[in-house]
């Protein structure tokens, strides 16, 4: 029985990344752009039900329809998907669009325009979830810099948390880049969203455009990367994360297992994704690929999908997912060696903090690949960066009227700011914590089972005096 995932893509960035993700999924499961099976490997269809619903058509082969909802507050991007090569793949009623757009305003997405569409969205998602056997959870694709992805994406998260409290909510969140800024009010939108993500999401994979540009230009040698190139990189990681749900393997790890092993404290669930191998297609013939190289590449800064340096923090936990023909002992040994060589980079109070999953089916066109999700304290760099920009603008109350005009209270900005400061302080606290810290003393008080005797040492004489416990006395009294 597949553990299904419902995909929800919100806003322009979410829908563009989503389109690429579905293209890659189709290739991995041997499906054409209309959802008909064209492959020749029985493993491709065995668990296609994780992301697809099989629809029996009379007189023709079954069609696989994505379990996905496409949402935007303007028509443009959804219309492009509808009229594009994958137009016949999605169910027509799974597109929900507004007319006015959010205009990069978080408050429009969260309070006014987005809230109007909320009932339709929840109804559609309910239909999708009712058709599943064992729903694993939701994955939400959105960016934090704009209005729809950030505002409406945050609202969706809080609604899902209310409606489906025991399901995993996983988000792929595109954060503002340090140097490349798409909009002026990015810091506002991003911090208001982080405020919601901290409370409502189970796993947040942080991605930013600048790191993706670096990978595309430096490693893949694309001179002028388009958004398509960047979205392809993100899709590779997304396929890697769910691979053990979709294909059989020696060591399985579903999304719930990932969350269980990666999140030591509920608020610290912001992960840095990385992927290997990234290589220049021309250099393919000269590339040596073994498990040790893959493992080292996963923890190398140049393969990260987010612009922060793990050398300035420490790894709390990490998860590695290997695809292809990989011996389990080899993978575990490589991870063990890496941990011990760089032991200062990992916190010592979580002894085995890197988990390993193995899947026997490699990505299309490759023999081996690996994905890693790292929970490192270095991720505070992202929040510090955005917080500095946020504070500079908020101090002067710049652009605030656009938000308060939609019915938002300026107190929300202060709350978001202090919540982010707390988050940064938490990361810092665990970065500096050591195994020998004696600040926290745990006292375990065990109740003596009824009818037993407790020994008390008398202060003066030091003799042992046996006294009946209250529980035993009670029993005698009842008799």
């Amino acid at each position: 029985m597949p553990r299904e995932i419902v995909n929800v893509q919100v806003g322009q960035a979410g829908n563009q990344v989503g389109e690429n993700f579905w293209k890659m999924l189709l290739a991995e499961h041997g499906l054409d752009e209309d959802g008909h099976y064209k492959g020749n490997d029985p493993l491709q269809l065995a668990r296609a039900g994780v992301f697809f619903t099989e629809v029996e058509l009379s007189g023709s082969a079954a069609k696989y329809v994505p379990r996905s909802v496409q949402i935007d507050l303007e028509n443009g991007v959804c219309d492009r998907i509808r009229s594009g090569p994958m137009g016949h793949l999605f169910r027509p009623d799974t597109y929900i669009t507004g007319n006015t757009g959010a205009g990069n305003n978080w408050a429009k997405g969260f309070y006014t325009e987005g809230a109007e569409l909320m009932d339709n969205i929840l109804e559609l998602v309910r239909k999708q979830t009712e058709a599943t056997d064992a729903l694993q959870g939701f994955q939400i694709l959105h960016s934090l810099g704009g209005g729809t992805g950030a505002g409406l994406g945050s609202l969706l998260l809080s609604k899902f948390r209310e409606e489906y409290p025991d399901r995993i909510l996983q988000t792929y969140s595109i954060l503002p880049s340090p140097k490349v800024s798409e909009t002026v009010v990015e810091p506002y939108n991003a911090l208001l969203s982080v405020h919601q993500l901290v409370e409502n999401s189970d796993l947040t994979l942080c991605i930013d455009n600048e790191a993706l540009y670096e990978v595309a230009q430096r490693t893949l040698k694309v001179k002028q990367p388009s958004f398509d190139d960047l979205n392809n990189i993100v899709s590779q990681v997304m396929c890697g994360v769910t691979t053990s749900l979709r294909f059989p393997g020696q060591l399985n790890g579903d999304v719930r297992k990932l969350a269980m092993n990666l999140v030591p404290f509920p608020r610290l669930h912001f992960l840095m994704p990385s992927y290997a191998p990234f290589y220049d297609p021309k250099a393919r013939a000269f590339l040596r690929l073994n498990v040790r190289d893959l493992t080292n590449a996963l923890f190398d800064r140049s393969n990260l999908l987010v612009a922060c340096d793990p050398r300035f923090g420490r790894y709390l936990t990490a998860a590695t997912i290997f695809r292809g023909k990989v011996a389990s002992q080899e993978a575990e040994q490589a991870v063990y060696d890496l941990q011990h060589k760089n032991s200062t980079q990992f916190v010592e109070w979580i002894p085995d903090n890197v988990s390993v999953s193995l899947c026997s089916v490699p990505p299309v066109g490759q023999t081996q690949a690996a994905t890693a999700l790292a929970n490192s304290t270095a991720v505070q760099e992202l929040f510090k960066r955005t917080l500095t920009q946020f504070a500079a603008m908020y101090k002067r109350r710049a652009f605030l009227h656009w938000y308060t005009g939609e019915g938002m209270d300026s107190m929300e900005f202060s709350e978001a700011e202090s919540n982010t400061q707390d988050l940064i302080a938490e990361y810092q606290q665990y970065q500096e914590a050591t195994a020998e810290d004696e600040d926290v003393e745990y006292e375990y008080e065990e109740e003596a089972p009824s009818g037993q005797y407790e020994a008390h040492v008398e202060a003066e004489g030091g003799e042992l005096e046996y006294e009946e416990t209250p529980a035993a006395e009670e029993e005698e009294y009842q008799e």
Side-chain angles (χ1 to χ4, degrees):
M1 186 163 66
R3 286 161 289 187
E4 296 94 346
I5 292 176
V6 176
N7 175 69
V8 180
Q9 41 199 59
V10 191
Q12 180 170 2
N15 279 298
Q16 286 174 340
V17 171
E19 191 179 4
N20 270 57
F21 167 64
W22 287 109
K23 265 184 204 159
M24 207 163 276
L25 267 192
L26 290 176
E28 287 201 356
H29 287 284
L31 303 169
D32 66 7
E33 286 177 336
D34 289 340
H36 299 298
Y37 182 60
K38 294 284 186 278
N40 50 14
D41 183 351
L43 289 180
Q44 290 177 318
L45 286 188
R47 295 200 207 156
V50 171
F51 278 109
F52 296 92
T53 307
E54 188 178 352
V55 179
E56 298 287 344
L57 299 172
S58 56
S60 65
K63 179 180 166 81
Y64 288 85
V65 181
R67 193 176 294 102
S68 171
V69 182
Q70 298 74 241
I71 303 163
D72 201 358
L73 288 178
E74 54 192 19
N75 301 324
V77 184
C78 287
D79 283 353
R80 216 199 72 225
I81 297 175
R82 270 199 196 104
S83 58
M86 294 167 70
H88 298 297
L89 182 66
F90 299 98
R91 265 175 42 192
D93 63 340
T94 56
Y95 295 93
I96 294 184
T97 54
N99 297 317
T100 50
N104 283 332
N105 187 339
W106 191 88
K108 275 196 170 197
F110 195 88
Y111 286 109
T112 48
E113 308 292 339
E116 287 173 18
L117 294 180
M118 209 60 229
D119 289 342
N120 296 348
I121 296 170
L122 287 174
E123 179 63 23
L124 180 53
V125 170
R126 190 183 57 74
K127 276 185 195 163
Q128 297 270 29
T129 53
E130 280 177 359
T132 62
D133 293 329
L135 179 69
Q136 172 101 70
F138 299 89
Q139 70 175 30
I140 297 176
L141 321 182
H142 63 151
S143 74
L144 301 188
T148 309
L152 181 52
S154 303
L155 180 60
L156 270 172
L157 259 181
S158 60
K159 294 286 185 194
F160 286 168
R161 183 46 82 222
E162 279 172 30
E163 301 257 335
Y164 308 93
D166 56 341
R167 296 287 169 250
I168 293 285
L169 292 183
Q170 182 186 21
T171 72
Y172 293 85
S173 305
I174 299 166
L175 282 92
S177 312
K179 299 190 197 109
V180 190
S181 173
E182 274 88 17
T183 56
V184 179
V185 287
E186 257 180 2
Y188 278 171
N189 296 335
L191 265 211
L192 290 165
S193 304
V194 166
H195 181 45
Q196 298 287 331
L197 283 170
V198 167
E199 308 302 332
N200 295 321
S201 126
D202 290 309
L203 285 177
T204 293
L205 279 76
C206 305
I207 297 162
D208 75 51
N209 284 343
E210 189 169 326
L212 297 175
Y213 276 122
E214 289 274 303
V215 170
Q217 283 175 320
R218 277 193 190 169
T219 320
L220 305 178
K221 301 287 188 283
V222 181
K223 282 204 175 69
Q224 290 177 317
S226 64
F227 275 136
D228 246 9
D229 298 316
L230 305 191
N231 293 345
N232 262 332
I233 299 171
V234 179
S235 305
Q236 284 175 307
V237 167
M238 292 177 66
C239 288
V241 171
T242 56
T243 185
S244 57
L245 274 173
R246 300 181 290 115
F247 297 110
Q250 311 172 51
L251 259 180
N252 284 334
D254 60 9
V255 183
R256 195 175 287 280
K257 276 185 195 167
L258 275 180
M260 183 76 202
N261 287 303
L262 279 172
V263 183
F265 306 101
R267 283 165 61 88
L268 311 188
H269 55 248
F270 294 89
L271 309 176
M272 309 191 311
S274 59
Y275 182 84
F278 285 133
Y279 53 81
D280 174 5
K282 292 194 189 82
R284 176 74 186 91
F286 307 95
L287 199 71
R288 184 186 76 158
L289 264 191
N290 64 26
V291 178
R292 194 168 296 280
D293 296 340
L294 278 180
T295 311
N296 290 335
L298 286 177
F299 289 91
D300 181 1
R301 194 201 161 177
S302 60
N303 283 28
L304 277 181
L305 270 63
V306 63
C308 71
D309 195 335
R311 290 171 301 188
F312 296 140
R314 299 173 85 195
Y315 290 103
L316 297 171
T317 52
T320 53
I321 300 158
F322 292 95
R323 303 186 60 177
K325 273 195 171 174
V326 176
S328 59
Q329 189 200 354
E330 210 181 338
E332 281 165 13
Q333 190 61 44
V335 167
Y336 176 83
D337 290 348
L338 179 105
Q339 239 178 302
H340 280 261
K341 258 186 210 155
N342 308 289
S343 54
T344 51
Q345 294 279 296
F346 293 87
V347 294
E348 69 267 28
W349 41 271
I350 302 178
D352 297 321
N353 42 7
V354 182
S355 64
V356 178
S357 294
L358 302 173
C359 170
S360 46
V361 180
V364 178
Q366 288 178 305
T367 52
Q368 284 182 339
T371 310
L373 302 176
N375 191 348
S376 165
T377 58
V379 86
Q380 60 177 298
E381 197 183 316
L382 306 176
F383 304 125
K384 275 183 185 162
R385 209 162 52 209
T386 311
L387 188 61
T388 312
Q389 298 169 336
F390 177 96
M393 286 184 356
Y394 186 55
K395 206 170 167 183
R396 298 271 172 271
R397 299 289 187 271
F399 301 105
L400 212 62
H401 64 282
W402 292 110
Y403 293 84
T404 49
E406 296 294 328
M408 229 179 127
D409 190 347
S410 60
M411 271 303 291
E412 273 197 59
F413 283 82
S414 311
E415 279 172 23
E417 187 176 18
S418 63
N419 198 358
T420 310
Q421 283 164 344
D422 292 348
L423 184 66
I424 293 168
E426 271 177 68
Y427 272 115
Q428 193 57 35
Q429 173 200 338
Y430 290 118
Q431 181 174 317
E432 291 161 3
T434 61
E436 280 75 48
D437 276 357
E438 286 175 14
D439 305 352
V440 188
E441 284 187 4
Y442 298 103
E443 289 181 6
Y444 296 103
E445 289 184 6
E446 288 188 10
E447 287 182 15
S450 57
Q452 286 188 4
Y453 291 88
E454 285 181 359
H456 294 280
V457 180
E458 286 216 309
E460 307 91 49
E463 290 176 341
L464 285 177
E465 180 186 309
Y466 288 94
E467 209 180 301
E468 280 196 334
T469 59
E473 283 170 19
E474 253 179 37
E475 279 180 11
E476 275 180 23
Y477 176 73
Q478 285 167 355
E479 283 169 8

